[in-house]
Amino acid sequence: MKTIFTLGVLLVLTAVGWGAGEAADDPGQAVLLRGETFRDSGRTTDAAACFELAMELSAGTSPQSFGQAQKAYWMAVQQGGDFPRAYSFFSRLAEQFPDSPEVLAAKASATGGYIGWLAQAGLMEPVGQERIRDLDNQARELYETALARDPDNFQALFAFAIYESYSPKGAARAQALLARLDALRDGHPHYPWAQVDQLRARLTAAK
């Protein structure tokens, strides 16, 4: 897994946050707004904690709130470089919501981000290749499980395609996932297809 995968996570976070309209009594929205206030005032740690709570409150009940909170959270994580925190958080969240494809895909992306952080921190050798392979396998299994729960889940398909695009010899698998995404275009014109096309263009240019 290339170090740059940590930047690939940002492609995923900009793709989440879409979905159906919100319920008026969605508690995740209020917590998300508080987190945004903390973020705007420079209280990054408090903001991240609010975004985590917003995801806990909206997981499995409000895909849009979950996506919006996840997007804000990844921005905070990227700003602070705290991928270990994200990995720990999504690991806990996946234990709480083992049937949510969005949560499982988020943990998979957090696992990839954690691998990238280990590389950037110069910790790949101390951690050892066996542990890295275990993490890589864990991420792939999470994506596969998410897609078994919901074969047409945009976040899981797109995030898995990004993950594969940064994997050695993963280009063909990434293209296959993009083909599955393309089958959803006519029925979901509001999905962020421009980002899917950008990923395809990058894969094509890398041939």
Side-chain angles (χ1 to χ4, degrees), residues 4-22:
I4 200 170
F5 179 80
T6 53
L7 301 179
V9 170
L10 294 179
L11 292 176
V12 179
L13 69 86
T14 55
V16 299
W18 47 267
E22 287 304 309

Side-chain angles (χ1 to χ4, degrees), residues 1-203:
M1 183 64 57
K2 295 181 180 180
T3 304
I4 200 170
F5 179 80
T6 53
L7 301 179
V9 170
L10 294 179
L11 292 176
V12 179
L13 69 86
T14 55
V16 299
W18 47 267
E22 287 304 309
D25 59 350
D26 177 10
Q29 277 291 303
V31 179
L32 172 61
L33 291 173
R34 180 61 61 87
E36 290 174 342
T37 299
F38 283 141
R39 178 197 61 203
D40 294 343
S41 63
R43 296 171 60 177
T44 306
T45 300
D46 289 331
C50 283
F51 299 146
E52 289 174 346
L53 179 56
M55 284 186 279
E56 289 183 34
L57 292 172
S58 60
T61 61
S62 177
Q64 185 173 359
S65 283
F66 182 85
Q68 290 171 338
Q70 186 186 173
K71 176 178 180 177
Y73 183 66
W74 277 124
M75 288 289 191
V77 167
Q78 177 69 13
Q79 183 179 3
D82 199 354
F83 285 92
R85 173 177 179 153
Y87 176 64
S88 296
F89 168 71
F90 283 115
S91 294
R92 296 193 304 272
L93 197 66
E95 292 179 357
Q96 292 179 254
F97 301 95
D99 296 323
S100 169
E102 289 81 15
V103 172
L104 295 175
K107 182 185 175 183
S109 294
T111 304
Y114 181 57
I115 295 172
W117 175 84
L118 289 171
Q120 289 179 329
L123 296 173
M124 299 288 271
E125 185 174 345
V127 169
Q129 287 302 309
E130 183 176 356
R131 173 60 174 156
I132 300 301
R133 282 193 296 270
D134 287 345
L135 288 168
D136 178 51
N137 290 335
Q138 179 187 98
R140 294 174 186 281
E141 289 173 6
L142 286 162
Y143 284 128
E144 294 288 1
T145 302
L147 291 171
R149 301 275 194 275
D150 180 3
D152 295 336
N153 187 278
F154 180 91
Q155 181 184 342
L157 285 167
F158 187 44
F160 199 4
I162 291 172
Y163 189 92
E164 290 289 17
S165 76
Y166 288 109
S167 300
K169 302 180 181 179
R173 294 190 294 270
Q175 291 284 12
L177 289 160
L178 292 180
R180 291 174 63 178
L181 280 168
D182 283 340
L184 307 177
R185 282 183 186 256
D186 290 344
H188 303 278
H190 61 289
Y191 285 2
W193 296 112
Q195 295 181 42
V196 175
D197 294 338
Q198 288 172 9
L199 177 57
R200 177 179 285 106
R202 179 168 64 77
L203 289 167

